Amino acid sequence: MSRKTEFIIVLSISCGLLYMESNSINIPQCTCGHCHVKKHKDSWFSKHFNASYHPLMTSNSSNVSTETFQWWKRLQRRHASGWNEYRKTVDKLFEIIPNKELYRDEGPDRCRVCSVVGNSGNLKNSRYGPLIDLSDFVLRINRGPTEGFERDVGSKTTHRIIYPESAIDVDNSTHLVMFPFKLLDLEWLISVFTTHTVKRGNTPVKSTIKANLSLVTVASPSFMKYVHEQWLEKHGFYPSTGFMTVVMALHICDKVRLFGFGADKHGNWDHYFGKTPPLYKTGQHGGTFEYNTIKELHKRNKIEFYRRW
Ligand SMILES: *[C@@H]1O[C@H](CO)[C@@H](O)[C@H](O)[C@H]1NC(C)=O
Ligand SMILES: *[C@@H]1O[C@H](CO)[C@@H](O)[C@H](O)[C@H]1NC(C)=O
Ligand SMILES: *[C@@H]1O[C@H](CO)[C@@H](O)[C@H](O)[C@H]1NC(C)=O
Ligand SMILES: *[C@@H]1O[C@H](CO)[C@@H](O)[C@H](O)[C@H]1NC(C)=O
Ligand SMILES: *[C@@H]1O[C@H](CO)[C@@H](O)[C@H](O)[C@H]1NC(C)=O
């Protein structure tokens, strides 16, 4: 049920300070002018951010510790699966999706500007579209559409963040990034590109999906656990997809901008595309804590948080 919970977010990541400005060695800088990775200048940020966690899974990083596996397994509750089943499924998955390390190219020559676009009604009439489309990466969450909303949300989508129950078709240049909350999610991903036999998750799911298989990736359970423990201090049962996308952007981008996150000026939590959202503040996600963390990131100049009211 909380799977359906769409954490309303649009984040754009922005790049930080002149790398010349830094007197600390060892810290990868970027050419954006302001790189949020100047993390060691901010003790709050460095308490939460740990560059050794990578958001995306490879065959190597799928070999998680027992502790991580237990954490991930607990999310599945009564459907929990064992290690062998997990191992077998992941091996099968990497026979069909690329097993490549992505986005580990941070350094002084890079300036990757990212926008994370959530689904909040506060995007309505925002005219943020052109600003969003200027980003190198535009990460959109769950079903947030662009068609018909270009002026306010833009038209570019480089990454579509989903879980099976929220999946939609994407075009041939968009990365599909799935957050797995249970073994069935990994089985679903295999199935949509092969046998089309998985038709139910927590709710009915699409048995087939249009996407470029060479651009399909999966989030790593270790990363999910890290977000829950390091960033949310274990608030909520597990982090929302929206919040994990924000942290993912901090890891793979130099500058992060966040759009479409939070309530509108009337305090409503509807979507910009008009459907009534599920109650995101209750249930399994530490919604208030997540929101406060995002405000803190903004305050500390680690992300740019756009809310046009
Ligand atoms: C970052 O995470 C790694 C892997 O869990 C750990 O070994 C390391 O101590 C952490 N670094 C900091 C500064 O907490
Ligand atoms: C996973 O770890 C086990 C035991 O540590 C090892 O035997 C196996 O080769 C590893 N697999 C991968 C894909 O790294
Ligand atoms: C997996 O680990 C092995 C051994 O450390 C390394 O040679 C290989 O490049 C890694 N593969 C990926 C896809 O990261
Ligand atoms: C990708 O999609 C675009 C637009 O839908 C289409 O014009 C193009 O031919 C496709 N590219 C490939 C390689 O299929
Ligand atoms: C899938 O993406 C790859 C890598 O960007 C691209 O080379 C290929 O043309 C795409 N395939 C289709 C059918 O568009």
Side-chain angles (χ1 to χ4, degrees):
M1 161 229 219
S2 74
R3 227 35 101 49
K4 285 190 77 179
T5 304
E6 296 189 15
F7 192 59
I8 298 169
I9 229 177
V10 173
L11 166 80
S12 141
I13 291 181
S14 58
C15 175
L17 298 170
L18 278 174
Y19 85 97
M20 293 304 296
E21 210 181 287
S22 165
N23 47 17
S24 18
I25 321 156
N26 291 335
I27 303 164
Q29 297 299 331
C30 74
T31 55
C32 300
H34 178 91
C35 311
H36 71 253
V37 291
K38 273 178 65 80
K39 53 189 176 292
H40 298 296
K41 289 245 160 153
D42 184 311
S43 58
W44 178 86
F45 188 71
S46 54
K47 206 176 99 206
H48 294 86
F49 185 89
N50 184 334
S52 73
Y53 288 93
H54 192 67
L56 303 173
M57 200 198 269
T58 60
S59 171
N60 285 352
S61 72
S62 69
N63 223 358
V64 298
S65 69
T66 308
E67 204 192 341
T68 298
F69 188 69
Q70 292 304 325
W71 178 86
W72 188 73
K73 215 171 120 169
R74 165 184 153 271
L75 307 183
Q76 317 181 33
R77 302 188 168 147
R78 64 181 192 281
H79 303 295
S81 54
W83 173 261
N84 289 342
E85 240 182 309
Y86 165 81
R87 190 66 260 162
K88 239 172 38 198
T89 307
V90 168
D91 288 344
K92 208 185 320 169
L93 182 63
F94 283 112
E95 284 170 18
I96 65 166
I97 71 167
N99 181 21
K100 267 198 312 225
E101 293 256 21
L102 292 171
Y103 314 131
R104 305 205 107 163
D105 53 350
E106 65 272 12
D109 300 324
R110 192 182 81 176
C111 172
R112 178 178 297 140
V113 178
C114 299
S115 287
V116 178
V117 183
N119 295 325
S120 168
N122 70 25
L123 279 167
K124 278 183 221 161
N125 299 316
S126 68
R127 298 177 187 258
Y128 281 143
L131 178 60
I132 291 169
D133 283 346
L134 274 177
S135 314
D136 300 300
F137 285 2
V138 179
L139 297 83
R140 296 187 194 271
I141 296 158
N142 298 332
R143 296 191 173 140
T146 54
E147 207 178 318
F149 302 93
E150 291 87 350
R151 190 191 65 177
D152 296 333
V153 310
S155 56
K156 179 171 173 176
T157 306
T158 61
H159 295 74
R160 175 67 67 175
I161 318 299
I162 57 133
Y163 45 84
E165 291 83 356
S166 77
I168 56 169
D169 293 341
V170 296
D171 68 29
N172 60 22
S173 62
T174 300
H175 288 262
L176 196 70
V177 182
M178 188 187 79
F179 276 94
F181 296 93
K182 53 187 182 301
L183 189 71
L184 185 59
D185 296 351
L186 298 167
E187 291 169 347
W188 170 80
L189 194 57
I190 298 168
S191 164
V192 289
F193 293 111
T194 56
T195 57
H196 315 291
T197 47
V198 177
K199 297 187 160 93
R200 257 200 95 76
N202 289 336
T203 58
V205 292
K206 283 165 149 320
S207 63
T208 184
I209 202 166
K210 285 204 194 87
N212 183 338
L213 195 48
S214 63
L215 300 176
V216 174
T217 59
V218 176
S220 139
S222 316
F223 181 79
M224 295 164 69
K225 177 170 179 280
Y226 148 75
V227 174
H228 188 230
E229 296 183 349
Q230 295 279 125
W231 283 94
L232 297 180
E233 298 164 17
K234 304 191 184 180
H235 284 81
F237 189 51
Y238 55 86
S240 70
T241 311
F243 188 77
M244 287 191 284
T245 305
V246 174
V247 180
M248 175 166 109
L250 288 169
H251 280 253
I252 67 175
C253 308
D254 300 305
K255 191 179 183 88
V256 180
R257 299 192 176 125
L258 171 61
F259 300 87
F261 173 82
D264 69 11
K265 65 177 171 223
H266 307 296
N268 298 322
W269 290 85
D270 59 339
H271 289 165
Y272 67 80
F273 47 98
K275 305 230 172 75
T276 313
L279 273 179
Y280 107 99
K281 282 205 166 194
T282 54
Q284 332 235 7
H285 304 314
T288 305
F289 198 85
E290 292 185 351
Y291 189 62
N292 289 340
T293 305
I294 282 170
K295 285 196 294 195
E296 195 65 27
L297 282 165
H298 175 62
K299 205 171 98 191
R300 290 171 186 270
N301 213 10
K302 298 300 181 187
I303 63 174
E304 293 170 10
F305 184 12
Y306 290 84
R307 283 171 299 176
R308 174 156 295 169
W309 286 358

